[in-house]
Amino acid sequence: MESHYNYFNRDISWLSFNHRVLLEADDDTLPLFERINFIAIYSSNLEEFYQVRVAEHKAVASGGKSEDMTVDEAHDLIRQITDTVNRQLEDRVRIYEEKILPALRRNHVVFYQSKSEVEDFHKEFVHRFFMEEVFPYIQPVKIDPENVRFFLRDRRLYLAVKVWKDAQEKPEYYIIKMPYSKVPRFVQLPSHEGNYYLMFLEDIIKANLQEVFIGYEVECSYCCKISRDADVFVDDVPAESMVEKLKEKVKKRKIGAICRFVYDRKMPDDFLDALVEALGINREELVPGDKHLNLEDLASLPNPNPDIPAIVKPQPMFLPGMNEKHFMYRRIAKRDMLLYYPYHSFEHFIHFLYEAVHDPFCREIMITQYRVAEHSEVINALIAAARNGKHVTVFVELKARFDEENNLATAELMRKAGIDIIFSIPGLKVHAKVALILRKNDKGERLRSYAYVSTGNFNEKTAKIYADIALYTCNKQIVDDMCTLFKVLRKEVTEPRFKRLLIARFNLLPELKALIQREIDLVKEGKPGRIILKMNALQDTAMIDEMYHASEAGVQIDLIVRGICCLVPGESFSRNIRVTRIVDSFLEHARVWYFGNGGDPLVFIGSPDWMRRNLYRRIEAVTPILDGRLRRELTDMLELQLSANRKACWVDNQLRNIFKRKPGNDDVRAQYDFYEYLKNKLAEN
């Protein structure tokens, strides 16, 4: 029987989220350079989207196999994506040209957008800078389809140039790769009469192309770039071959199939036709862009005016007394502890590891690695533990997209230090963010041991910008469950039993469905049913149907979903469901699930979103929060996010971001208000 329920398309929903990111640049109340940074984030997100998602759809459209869509459906989705992105790019152009650039000028920063804007007092500097700093790295390559096919590197910016030679009947075309490894993308020019000046490197090159093409007439030039398929498939590879196969595939990523050719939309048709033919571009891959591409580089735009306020974010807090011996051990032994990154410093976790390094009763440390920082303090602590005689086991997920090379390198570093490395399981990803410190006395008897379950990676760099939550506990049942989980990863147990933890592919889905059914049963008994789910993405239609069933039964449901949300609110079957999206200074990354349970709430945190991949094809870990004080903290956080009227919006049944009432005297800005909440808690203790 065909379902009467509706669902948003995953990719169109994601584009709605990315548009919400872009709209932060439209907020005049934010610091100017923070608004510029949101344009950079929007652009970077879109680049990765094309590298992964659109590349996958293009492969299907070209006849590749897919269980999810036909060739015609893939073509139709690509058209929808193109139309949506083009509409968003119009917004980006409007915000950038009509709001950001004038705001810079009001702050005495003139950002030249073309060679024609350069004032007379800067023309000599621009010419001299080009000749001295740029010209030595310019290497024009003639585009000649009959002789040599020019290879374009992924995500690199190129300048396509059209020139004429005297008496020639046809123009010649050249490609110049921007020398950003040698010269910065943004060049600061001499200040003049109280104003500061910036210029794109490509505009400096355009202004001096005649110096490159001596004896030619330069007619015009336009920027272009390509995106290549960046996905790496190794699921069908045996475990013993995975490392070498992954290394091989990562190397080939740079020469993957073209999934997008972006060009300056002002490029004349005959110029574009010449490039398409010469570079072997499929016309379905054409995406018109702005004059300046790769705007993710705006994240590094220099601020030449010291009077422009810097971006000020809440500084990570430290629990008092952290430098005392066994500080973390003692705190956790007293009662379970939640830390909220980046409001609390990730240094607490590093300290936690080093306490284990120097603990004579610590026999073993086990941890999962999905994404870690380069030159990671976490890895250094684990190496120190191994050298101090601890048995250290690290499960390294090699298939963490775009982190494969770093994971391979850190795994080799740890292996050389004597750490036991468990690599990826074929056909499965381990996405759980867990750590375990096992302690025993000299007789081998178990002493108090410590478990850590988080919503975020063991990455001290992203912990400064991702809003995540971590539980530190010595609860025996959770510690025992953690031991069982690592036995599963070691392939020592195939049918595990967990007492407290919810583990994807084992007990997570049955327990989730039972929790939802409990709320439905309460409504049938005439009592209120309440569910609040906070996550990054909601895609799995089976679990969405569970939400629809609960809504139809009368359960009140609030979803706080940052990104993909395939559930459609505001329909007859979802009238009791509201979807909130929060985009602010930090990336909302925590997964928190609240079930009213008739007045005795059940609250969980963990690693999975409700995506098919998370629920069915990954190892994910979720922990209940057993301490009533901590459950209250999480409930307060959720209620604060739901009451936010600044930086929070609702998502409607057309995937529009509907902002709540305008900021006023009673503003609620969830991230900053929760920081103050935690700060007050710290003062009370």
Side-chain angles (χ1 to χ4, degrees), residues 96 105 110-114 117-122 126 189 197-200 203 292:
Y96 180 71
R105 281 184 176 269
V110 179
F111 191 4
Y112 290 142
Q113 295 299 295
S114 68
E117 292 184 9
V118 178
E119 300 281 2
D120 290 342
F121 51 78
H122 277 141
V126 168
L189 286 67
Y197 293 83
L198 297 169
M199 191 169 182
F200 281 97
D203 289 334
H292 299 109

mmCIF file with all atom_site columns, all heavy atoms in Angstrom, residues 96 105 110-114 117-122 126 189 197-200 203 292:
data_model
loop_
_atom_site.group_PDB
_atom_site.id
_atom_site.type_symbol
_atom_site.label_atom_id
_atom_site.label_alt_id
_atom_site.label_comp_id
_atom_site.label_asym_id
_atom_site.label_entity_id
_atom_site.label_seq_id
_atom_site.pdbx_PDB_ins_code
_atom_site.Cartn_x
_atom_site.Cartn_y
_atom_site.Cartn_z
_atom_site.occupancy
_atom_site.B_iso_or_equiv
_atom_site.pdbx_formal_charge
_atom_site.auth_seq_id
_atom_site.auth_comp_id
_atom_site.auth_asym_id
_atom_site.auth_atom_id
_atom_site.pdbx_PDB_model_num
ATOM 1   N N   . TYR A 1 96  ? 26.598 40.374 -1.282  1.00 0.00 ? 96  TYR A N   1
ATOM 2   C CA  . TYR A 1 96  ? 28.007 40.754 -1.418  1.00 0.00 ? 96  TYR A CA  1
ATOM 3   C C   . TYR A 1 96  ? 28.152 42.149 -2.012  1.00 0.00 ? 96  TYR A C   1
ATOM 4   O O   . TYR A 1 96  ? 28.874 42.993 -1.478  1.00 0.00 ? 96  TYR A O   1
ATOM 5   C CB  . TYR A 1 96  ? 28.719 39.711 -2.274  1.00 0.00 ? 96  TYR A CB  1
ATOM 6   C CG  . TYR A 1 96  ? 30.186 39.964 -2.507  1.00 0.00 ? 96  TYR A CG  1
ATOM 7   C CD1 . TYR A 1 96  ? 31.112 39.827 -1.473  1.00 0.00 ? 96  TYR A CD1 1
ATOM 8   C CD2 . TYR A 1 96  ? 30.660 40.327 -3.770  1.00 0.00 ? 96  TYR A CD2 1
ATOM 9   C CE1 . TYR A 1 96  ? 32.470 40.043 -1.691  1.00 0.00 ? 96  TYR A CE1 1
ATOM 10  C CE2 . TYR A 1 96  ? 32.005 40.547 -3.995  1.00 0.00 ? 96  TYR A CE2 1
ATOM 11  C CZ  . TYR A 1 96  ? 32.904 40.407 -2.948  1.00 0.00 ? 96  TYR A CZ  1
ATOM 12  O OH  . TYR A 1 96  ? 34.240 40.635 -3.177  1.00 0.00 ? 96  TYR A OH  1
ATOM 13  N N   . ARG A 1 105 ? 33.183 49.931 2.601   1.00 0.00 ? 105 ARG A N   1
ATOM 14  C CA  . ARG A 1 105 ? 33.501 51.327 2.254   1.00 0.00 ? 105 ARG A CA  1
ATOM 15  C C   . ARG A 1 105 ? 33.142 52.275 3.396   1.00 0.00 ? 105 ARG A C   1
ATOM 16  O O   . ARG A 1 105 ? 33.876 53.224 3.679   1.00 0.00 ? 105 ARG A O   1
ATOM 17  C CB  . ARG A 1 105 ? 32.774 51.733 0.974   1.00 0.00 ? 105 ARG A CB  1
ATOM 18  C CG  . ARG A 1 105 ? 33.441 51.215 -0.302  1.00 0.00 ? 105 ARG A CG  1
ATOM 19  C CD  . ARG A 1 105 ? 32.742 51.729 -1.556  1.00 0.00 ? 105 ARG A CD  1
ATOM 20  N NE  . ARG A 1 105 ? 33.445 51.296 -2.757  1.00 0.00 ? 105 ARG A NE  1
ATOM 21  C CZ  . ARG A 1 105 ? 34.404 51.988 -3.359  1.00 0.00 ? 105 ARG A CZ  1
ATOM 22  N NH1 . ARG A 1 105 ? 34.785 53.160 -2.851  1.00 0.00 ? 105 ARG A NH1 1
ATOM 23  N NH2 . ARG A 1 105 ? 34.985 51.542 -4.448  1.00 0.00 ? 105 ARG A NH2 1
ATOM 24  N N   . VAL A 1 110 ? 38.210 50.013 0.946   1.00 0.00 ? 110 VAL A N   1
ATOM 25  C CA  . VAL A 1 110 ? 37.781 49.945 -0.447  1.00 0.00 ? 110 VAL A CA  1
ATOM 26  C C   . VAL A 1 110 ? 38.316 48.648 -1.027  1.00 0.00 ? 110 VAL A C   1
ATOM 27  O O   . VAL A 1 110 ? 39.533 48.423 -1.081  1.00 0.00 ? 110 VAL A O   1
ATOM 28  C CB  . VAL A 1 110 ? 38.303 51.149 -1.256  1.00 0.00 ? 110 VAL A CB  1
ATOM 29  C CG1 . VAL A 1 110 ? 37.860 51.041 -2.710  1.00 0.00 ? 110 VAL A CG1 1
ATOM 30  C CG2 . VAL A 1 110 ? 37.824 52.454 -0.635  1.00 0.00 ? 110 VAL A CG2 1
ATOM 31  N N   . PHE A 1 111 ? 37.392 47.779 -1.430  1.00 0.00 ? 111 PHE A N   1
ATOM 32  C CA  . PHE A 1 111 ? 37.769 46.476 -1.968  1.00 0.00 ? 111 PHE A CA  1
ATOM 33  C C   . PHE A 1 111 ? 37.510 46.521 -3.473  1.00 0.00 ? 111 PHE A C   1
ATOM 34  O O   . PHE A 1 111 ? 36.392 46.361 -3.933  1.00 0.00 ? 111 PHE A O   1
ATOM 35  C CB  . PHE A 1 111 ? 36.930 45.394 -1.295  1.00 0.00 ? 111 PHE A CB  1
ATOM 36  C CG  . PHE A 1 111 ? 37.385 43.980 -1.554  1.00 0.00 ? 111 PHE A CG  1
ATOM 37  C CD1 . PHE A 1 111 ? 38.534 43.696 -2.287  1.00 0.00 ? 111 PHE A CD1 1
ATOM 38  C CD2 . PHE A 1 111 ? 36.661 42.908 -1.056  1.00 0.00 ? 111 PHE A CD2 1
ATOM 39  C CE1 . PHE A 1 111 ? 38.946 42.404 -2.514  1.00 0.00 ? 111 PHE A CE1 1
ATOM 40  C CE2 . PHE A 1 111 ? 37.050 41.609 -1.268  1.00 0.00 ? 111 PHE A CE2 1
ATOM 41  C CZ  . PHE A 1 111 ? 38.197 41.345 -2.008  1.00 0.00 ? 111 PHE A CZ  1
ATOM 42  N N   . TYR A 1 112 ? 38.576 46.806 -4.248  1.00 0.00 ? 112 TYR A N   1
ATOM 43  C CA  . TYR A 1 112 ? 38.435 46.862 -5.697  1.00 0.00 ? 112 TYR A CA  1
ATOM 44  C C   . TYR A 1 112 ? 37.875 45.535 -6.221  1.00 0.00 ? 112 TYR A C   1
ATOM 45  O O   . TYR A 1 112 ? 38.353 44.459 -5.860  1.00 0.00 ? 112 TYR A O   1
ATOM 46  C CB  . TYR A 1 112 ? 39.790 47.109 -6.351  1.00 0.00 ? 112 TYR A CB  1
ATOM 47  C CG  . TYR A 1 112 ? 40.374 48.491 -6.134  1.00 0.00 ? 112 TYR A CG  1
ATOM 48  C CD1 . TYR A 1 112 ? 41.754 48.651 -5.922  1.00 0.00 ? 112 TYR A CD1 1
ATOM 49  C CD2 . TYR A 1 112 ? 39.592 49.635 -6.178  1.00 0.00 ? 112 TYR A CD2 1
ATOM 50  C CE1 . TYR A 1 112 ? 42.323 49.906 -5.752  1.00 0.00 ? 112 TYR A CE1 1
ATOM 51  C CE2 . TYR A 1 112 ? 40.143 50.895 -6.009  1.00 0.00 ? 112 TYR A CE2 1
ATOM 52  C CZ  . TYR A 1 112 ? 41.512 51.026 -5.791  1.00 0.00 ? 112 TYR A CZ  1
ATOM 53  O OH  . TYR A 1 112 ? 42.070 52.272 -5.625  1.00 0.00 ? 112 TYR A OH  1
ATOM 54  N N   . GLN A 1 113 ? 36.890 45.637 -7.122  1.00 0.00 ? 113 GLN A N   1
ATOM 55  C CA  . GLN A 1 113 ? 36.280 44.435 -7.685  1.00 0.00 ? 113 GLN A CA  1
ATOM 56  C C   . GLN A 1 113 ? 36.628 44.215 -9.151  1.00 0.00 ? 113 GLN A C   1
ATOM 57  O O   . GLN A 1 113 ? 36.189 43.234 -9.749  1.00 0.00 ? 113 GLN A O   1
ATOM 58  C CB  . GLN A 1 113 ? 34.761 44.519 -7.522  1.00 0.00 ? 113 GLN A CB  1
ATOM 59  C CG  . GLN A 1 113 ? 34.302 44.507 -6.079  1.00 0.00 ? 113 GLN A CG  1
ATOM 60  C CD  . GLN A 1 113 ? 34.709 43.234 -5.343  1.00 0.00 ? 113 GLN A CD  1
ATOM 61  O OE1 . GLN A 1 113 ? 34.259 42.142 -5.678  1.00 0.00 ? 113 GLN A OE1 1
ATOM 62  N NE2 . GLN A 1 113 ? 35.577 43.365 -4.348  1.00 0.00 ? 113 GLN A NE2 1
ATOM 63  N N   . SER A 1 114 ? 37.400 45.120 -9.725  1.00 0.00 ? 114 SER A N   1
ATOM 64  C CA  . SER A 1 114 ? 37.847 44.945 -11.105 1.00 0.00 ? 114 SER A CA  1
ATOM 65  C C   . SER A 1 114 ? 38.998 45.903 -11.362 1.00 0.00 ? 114 SER A C   1
ATOM 66  O O   . SER A 1 114 ? 39.219 46.859 -10.601 1.00 0.00 ? 114 SER A O   1
ATOM 67  C CB  . SER A 1 114 ? 36.705 45.214 -12.098 1.00 0.00 ? 114 SER A CB  1
ATOM 68  O OG  . SER A 1 114 ? 36.365 46.589 -12.081 1.00 0.00 ? 114 SER A OG  1
ATOM 69  N N   . GLU A 1 117 ? 38.202 49.670 -11.576 1.00 0.00 ? 117 GLU A N   1
ATOM 70  C CA  . GLU A 1 117 ? 37.928 50.460 -10.376 1.00 0.00 ? 117 GLU A CA  1
ATOM 71  C C   . GLU A 1 117 ? 39.192 51.071 -9.769  1.00 0.00 ? 117 GLU A C   1
ATOM 72  O O   . GLU A 1 117 ? 39.105 51.926 -8.896  1.00 0.00 ? 117 GLU A O   1
ATOM 73  C CB  . GLU A 1 117 ? 37.236 49.588 -9.316  1.00 0.00 ? 117 GLU A CB  1
ATOM 74  C CG  . GLU A 1 117 ? 35.828 49.156 -9.685  1.00 0.00 ? 117 GLU A CG  1
ATOM 75  C CD  . GLU A 1 117 ? 35.165 48.380 -8.555  1.00 0.00 ? 117 GLU A CD  1
ATOM 76  O OE1 . GLU A 1 117 ? 35.731 48.341 -7.441  1.00 0.00 ? 117 GLU A OE1 1
ATOM 77  O OE2 . GLU A 1 117 ? 34.084 47.803 -8.778  1.00 0.00 ? 117 GLU A OE2 1
ATOM 78  N N   . VAL A 1 118 ? 40.345 50.610 -10.210 1.00 0.00 ? 118 VAL A N   1
ATOM 79  C CA  . VAL A 1 118 ? 41.599 51.043 -9.587  1.00 0.00 ? 118 VAL A CA  1
ATOM 80  C C   . VAL A 1 118 ? 41.811 52.541 -9.804  1.00 0.00 ? 118 VAL A C   1
ATOM 81  O O   . VAL A 1 118 ? 41.772 53.042 -10.940 1.00 0.00 ? 118 VAL A O   1
ATOM 82  C CB  . VAL A 1 118 ? 42.798 50.244 -10.153 1.00 0.00 ? 118 VAL A CB  1
ATOM 83  C CG1 . VAL A 1 118 ? 44.110 50.739 -9.549  1.00 0.00 ? 118 VAL A CG1 1
ATOM 84  C CG2 . VAL A 1 118 ? 42.611 48.759 -9.873  1.00 0.00 ? 118 VAL A CG2 1
ATOM 85  N N   . GLU A 1 119 ? 42.019 53.238 -8.695  1.00 0.00 ? 119 GLU A N   1
ATOM 86  C CA  . GLU A 1 119 ? 42.254 54.679 -8.766  1.00 0.00 ? 119 GLU A CA  1
ATOM 87  C C   . GLU A 1 119 ? 43.634 54.968 -9.367  1.00 0.00 ? 119 GLU A C   1
ATOM 88  O O   . GLU A 1 119 ? 44.558 54.141 -9.296  1.00 0.00 ? 119 GLU A O   1
ATOM 89  C CB  . GLU A 1 119 ? 42.170 55.288 -7.364  1.00 0.00 ? 119 GLU A CB  1
ATOM 90  C CG  . GLU A 1 119 ? 40.828 55.103 -6.678  1.00 0.00 ? 119 GLU A CG  1
ATOM 91  C CD  . GLU A 1 119 ? 39.780 56.078 -7.180  1.00 0.00 ? 119 GLU A CD  1
ATOM 92  O OE1 . GLU A 1 119 ? 40.097 56.867 -8.096  1.00 0.00 ? 119 GLU A OE1 1
ATOM 93  O OE2 . GLU A 1 119 ? 38.643 56.045 -6.668  1.00 0.00 ? 119 GLU A OE2 1
ATOM 94  N N   . ASP A 1 120 ? 43.787 56.174 -9.920  1.00 0.00 ? 120 ASP A N   1
ATOM 95  C CA  . ASP A 1 120 ? 45.049 56.542 -10.565 1.00 0.00 ? 120 ASP A CA  1
ATOM 96  C C   . ASP A 1 120 ? 46.235 56.419 -9.615  1.00 0.00 ? 120 ASP A C   1
ATOM 97  O O   . ASP A 1 120 ? 47.329 56.026 -10.035 1.00 0.00 ? 120 ASP A O   1
ATOM 98  C CB  . ASP A 1 120 ? 44.963 57.976 -11.107 1.00 0.00 ? 120 ASP A CB  1
ATOM 99  C CG  . ASP A 1 120 ? 44.028 58.080 -12.310 1.00 0.00 ? 120 ASP A CG  1
ATOM 100 O OD1 . ASP A 1 120 ? 43.738 57.023 -12.911 1.00 0.00 ? 120 ASP A OD1 1
ATOM 101 O OD2 . ASP A 1 120 ? 43.589 59.205 -12.623 1.00 0.00 ? 120 ASP A OD2 1
ATOM 102 N N   . PHE A 1 121 ? 46.021 56.762 -8.334  1.00 0.00 ? 121 PHE A N   1
ATOM 103 C CA  . PHE A 1 121 ? 47.148 56.739 -7.389  1.00 0.00 ? 121 PHE A CA  1
ATOM 104 C C   . PHE A 1 121 ? 47.606 55.318 -7.040  1.00 0.00 ? 121 PHE A C   1
ATOM 105 O O   . PHE A 1 121 ? 48.599 55.143 -6.352  1.00 0.00 ? 121 PHE A O   1
ATOM 106 C CB  . PHE A 1 121 ? 46.808 57.515 -6.114  1.00 0.00 ? 121 PHE A CB  1
ATOM 107 C CG  . PHE A 1 121 ? 45.499 57.145 -5.455  1.00 0.00 ? 121 PHE A CG  1
ATOM 108 C CD1 . PHE A 1 121 ? 45.372 56.000 -4.683  1.00 0.00 ? 121 PHE A CD1 1
ATOM 109 C CD2 . PHE A 1 121 ? 44.391 57.977 -5.616  1.00 0.00 ? 121 PHE A CD2 1
ATOM 110 C CE1 . PHE A 1 121 ? 44.173 55.677 -4.076  1.00 0.00 ? 121 PHE A CE1 1
ATOM 111 C CE2 . PHE A 1 121 ? 43.183 57.659 -5.001  1.00 0.00 ? 121 PHE A CE2 1
ATOM 112 C CZ  . PHE A 1 121 ? 43.065 56.508 -4.237  1.00 0.00 ? 121 PHE A CZ  1
ATOM 113 N N   . HIS A 1 122 ? 46.884 54.286 -7.529  1.00 0.00 ? 122 HIS A N   1
ATOM 114 C CA  . HIS A 1 122 ? 47.293 52.907 -7.265  1.00 0.00 ? 122 HIS A CA  1
ATOM 115 C C   . HIS A 1 122 ? 47.792 52.183 -8.516  1.00 0.00 ? 122 HIS A C   1
ATOM 116 O O   . HIS A 1 122 ? 48.304 51.063 -8.415  1.00 0.00 ? 122 HIS A O   1
ATOM 117 C CB  . HIS A 1 122 ? 46.115 52.108 -6.687  1.00 0.00 ? 122 HIS A CB  1
ATOM 118 C CG  . HIS A 1 122 ? 45.943 52.284 -5.208  1.00 0.00 ? 122 HIS A CG  1
ATOM 119 N ND1 . HIS A 1 122 ? 44.713 52.384 -4.602  1.00 0.00 ? 122 HIS A ND1 1
ATOM 120 C CD2 . HIS A 1 122 ? 46.861 52.381 -4.204  1.00 0.00 ? 122 HIS A CD2 1
ATOM 121 C CE1 . HIS A 1 122 ? 44.866 52.526 -3.305  1.00 0.00 ? 122 HIS A CE1 1
ATOM 122 N NE2 . HIS A 1 122 ? 46.159 52.543 -3.035  1.00 0.00 ? 122 HIS A NE2 1
ATOM 123 N N   . VAL A 1 126 ? 50.026 48.715 -8.665  1.00 0.00 ? 126 VAL A N   1
ATOM 124 C CA  . VAL A 1 126 ? 49.473 47.472 -9.199  1.00 0.00 ? 126 VAL A CA  1
ATOM 125 C C   . VAL A 1 126 ? 50.388 46.905 -10.273 1.00 0.00 ? 126 VAL A C   1
ATOM 126 O O   . VAL A 1 126 ? 50.657 45.689 -10.317 1.00 0.00 ? 126 VAL A O   1
ATOM 127 C CB  . VAL A 1 126 ? 48.043 47.715 -9.756  1.00 0.00 ? 126 VAL A CB  1
ATOM 128 C CG1 . VAL A 1 126 ? 47.564 46.519 -10.575 1.00 0.00 ? 126 VAL A CG1 1
ATOM 129 C CG2 . VAL A 1 126 ? 47.077 47.999 -8.614  1.00 0.00 ? 126 VAL A CG2 1
ATOM 130 N N   . LEU A 1 189 ? 46.785 47.136 -0.771  1.00 0.00 ? 189 LEU A N   1
ATOM 131 C CA  . LEU A 1 189 ? 47.435 48.244 -1.465  1.00 0.00 ? 189 LEU A CA  1
ATOM 132 C C   . LEU A 1 189 ? 47.724 49.369 -0.474  1.00 0.00 ? 189 LEU A C   1
ATOM 133 O O   . LEU A 1 189 ? 47.179 49.377 0.639   1.00 0.00 ? 189 LEU A O   1
ATOM 134 C CB  . LEU A 1 189 ? 46.535 48.754 -2.597  1.00 0.00 ? 189 LEU A CB  1
ATOM 135 C CG  . LEU A 1 189 ? 46.432 47.887 -3.866  1.00 0.00 ? 189 LEU A CG  1
ATOM 136 C CD1 . LEU A 1 189 ? 45.738 46.563 -3.610  1.00 0.00 ? 189 LEU A CD1 1
ATOM 137 C CD2 . LEU A 1 189 ? 45.688 48.650 -4.971  1.00 0.00 ? 189 LEU A CD2 1
ATOM 138 N N   . TYR A 1 197 ? 42.855 49.810 1.186   1.00 0.00 ? 197 TYR A N   1
ATOM 139 C CA  . TYR A 1 197 ? 42.488 49.248 -0.103  1.00 0.00 ? 197 TYR A CA  1
ATOM 140 C C   . TYR A 1 197 ? 42.917 47.783 -0.207  1.00 0.00 ? 197 TYR A C   1
ATOM 141 O O   . TYR A 1 197 ? 44.009 47.406 0.234   1.00 0.00 ? 197 TYR A O   1
ATOM 142 C CB  . TYR A 1 197 ? 43.132 50.049 -1.243  1.00 0.00 ? 197 TYR A CB  1
ATOM 143 C CG  . TYR A 1 197 ? 42.595 51.454 -1.358  1.00 0.00 ? 197 TYR A CG  1
ATOM 144 C CD1 . TYR A 1 197 ? 43.098 52.477 -0.553  1.00 0.00 ? 197 TYR A CD1 1
ATOM 145 C CD2 . TYR A 1 197 ? 41.562 51.758 -2.237  1.00 0.00 ? 197 TYR A CD2 1
ATOM 146 C CE1 . TYR A 1 197 ? 42.589 53.766 -0.638  1.00 0.00 ? 197 TYR A CE1 1
ATOM 147 C CE2 . TYR A 1 197 ? 41.050 53.048 -2.329  1.00 0.00 ? 197 TYR A CE2 1
ATOM 148 C CZ  . TYR A 1 197 ? 41.564 54.049 -1.531  1.00 0.00 ? 197 TYR A CZ  1
ATOM 149 O OH  . TYR A 1 197 ? 41.055 55.324 -1.616  1.00 0.00 ? 197 TYR A OH  1
ATOM 150 N N   . LEU A 1 198 ? 42.018 46.979 -0.798  1.00 0.00 ? 198 LEU A N   1
ATOM 151 C CA  . LEU A 1 198 ? 42.285 45.563 -1.057  1.00 0.00 ? 198 LEU A CA  1
ATOM 152 C C   . LEU A 1 198 ? 41.956 45.265 -2.512  1.00 0.00 ? 198 LEU A C   1
ATOM 153 O O   . LEU A 1 198 ? 41.119 45.945 -3.123  1.00 0.00 ? 198 LEU A O   1
ATOM 154 C CB  . LEU A 1 198 ? 41.418 44.671 -0.155  1.00 0.00 ? 198 LEU A CB  1
ATOM 155 C CG  . LEU A 1 198 ? 41.633 44.763 1.354   1.00 0.00 ? 198 LEU A CG  1
ATOM 156 C CD1 . LEU A 1 198 ? 40.516 44.028 2.093   1.00 0.00 ? 198 LEU A CD1 1
ATOM 157 C CD2 . LEU A 1 198 ? 42.993 44.184 1.737   1.00 0.00 ? 198 LEU A CD2 1
ATOM 158 N N   . MET A 1 199 ? 42.591 44.214 -3.040  1.00 0.00 ? 199 MET A N   1
ATOM 159 C CA  . MET A 1 199 ? 42.332 43.841 -4.428  1.00 0.00 ? 199 MET A CA  1
ATOM 160 C C   . MET A 1 199 ? 42.549 42.343 -4.606  1.00 0.00 ? 199 MET A C   1
ATOM 161 O O   . MET A 1 199 ? 43.460 41.752 -4.010  1.00 0.00 ? 199 MET A O   1
ATOM 162 C CB  . MET A 1 199 ? 43.260 44.625 -5.364  1.00 0.00 ? 199 MET A CB  1
ATOM 163 C CG  . MET A 1 199 ? 42.906 44.526 -6.842  1.00 0.00 ? 199 MET A CG  1
ATOM 164 S SD  . MET A 1 199 ? 43.867 45.731 -7.811  1.00 0.00 ? 199 MET A SD  1
ATOM 165 C CE  . MET A 1 199 ? 43.222 45.424 -9.466  1.00 0.00 ? 199 MET A CE  1
ATOM 166 N N   . PHE A 1 200 ? 41.692 41.718 -5.415  1.00 0.00 ? 200 PHE A N   1
ATOM 167 C CA  . PHE A 1 200 ? 41.883 40.316 -5.767  1.00 0.00 ? 200 PHE A CA  1
ATOM 168 C C   . PHE A 1 200 ? 43.129 40.172 -6.635  1.00 0.00 ? 200 PHE A C   1
ATOM 169 O O   . PHE A 1 200 ? 43.378 40.992 -7.524  1.00 0.00 ? 200 PHE A O   1
ATOM 170 C CB  . PHE A 1 200 ? 40.686 39.802 -6.576  1.00 0.00 ? 200 PHE A CB  1
ATOM 171 C CG  . PHE A 1 200 ? 39.470 39.461 -5.762  1.00 0.00 ? 200 PHE A CG  1
ATOM 172 C CD1 . PHE A 1 200 ? 38.434 40.373 -5.629  1.00 0.00 ? 200 PHE A CD1 1
ATOM 173 C CD2 . PHE A 1 200 ? 39.345 38.222 -5.155  1.00 0.00 ? 200 PHE A CD2 1
ATOM 174 C CE1 . PHE A 1 200 ? 37.296 40.059 -4.908  1.00 0.00 ? 200 PHE A CE1 1
ATOM 175 C CE2 . PHE A 1 200 ? 38.215 37.899 -4.429  1.00 0.00 ? 200 PHE A CE2 1
ATOM 176 C CZ  . PHE A 1 200 ? 37.187 38.814 -4.295  1.00 0.00 ? 200 PHE A CZ  1
ATOM 177 N N   . ASP A 1 203 ? 42.452 40.137 -10.353 1.00 0.00 ? 203 ASP A N   1
ATOM 178 C CA  . ASP A 1 203 ? 42.222 41.438 -10.983 1.00 0.00 ? 203 ASP A CA  1
ATOM 179 C C   . ASP A 1 203 ? 43.536 42.154 -11.253 1.00 0.00 ? 203 ASP A C   1
ATOM 180 O O   . ASP A 1 203 ? 43.658 42.899 -12.240 1.00 0.00 ? 203 ASP A O   1
ATOM 181 C CB  . ASP A 1 203 ? 41.319 42.296 -10.094 1.00 0.00 ? 203 ASP A CB  1
ATOM 182 C CG  . ASP A 1 203 ? 39.879 41.789 -10.072 1.00 0.00 ? 203 ASP A CG  1
ATOM 183 O OD1 . ASP A 1 203 ? 39.479 41.140 -11.055 1.00 0.00 ? 203 ASP A OD1 1
ATOM 184 O OD2 . ASP A 1 203 ? 39.178 42.025 -9.075  1.00 0.00 ? 203 ASP A OD2 1
ATOM 185 N N   . HIS A 1 292 ? 34.175 36.690 -9.380  1.00 0.00 ? 292 HIS A N   1
ATOM 186 C CA  . HIS A 1 292 ? 35.188 36.128 -8.489  1.00 0.00 ? 292 HIS A CA  1
ATOM 187 C C   . HIS A 1 292 ? 34.691 34.796 -7.943  1.00 0.00 ? 292 HIS A C   1
ATOM 188 O O   . HIS A 1 292 ? 33.661 34.748 -7.265  1.00 0.00 ? 292 HIS A O   1
ATOM 189 C CB  . HIS A 1 292 ? 35.497 37.097 -7.352  1.00 0.00 ? 292 HIS A CB  1
ATOM 190 C CG  . HIS A 1 292 ? 36.046 38.399 -7.824  1.00 0.00 ? 292 HIS A CG  1
ATOM 191 N ND1 . HIS A 1 292 ? 35.320 39.569 -7.772  1.00 0.00 ? 292 HIS A ND1 1
ATOM 192 C CD2 . HIS A 1 292 ? 37.243 38.719 -8.389  1.00 0.00 ? 292 HIS A CD2 1
ATOM 193 C CE1 . HIS A 1 292 ? 36.047 40.556 -8.278  1.00 0.00 ? 292 HIS A CE1 1
ATOM 194 N NE2 . HIS A 1 292 ? 37.214 40.073 -8.666  1.00 0.00 ? 292 HIS A NE2 1
#
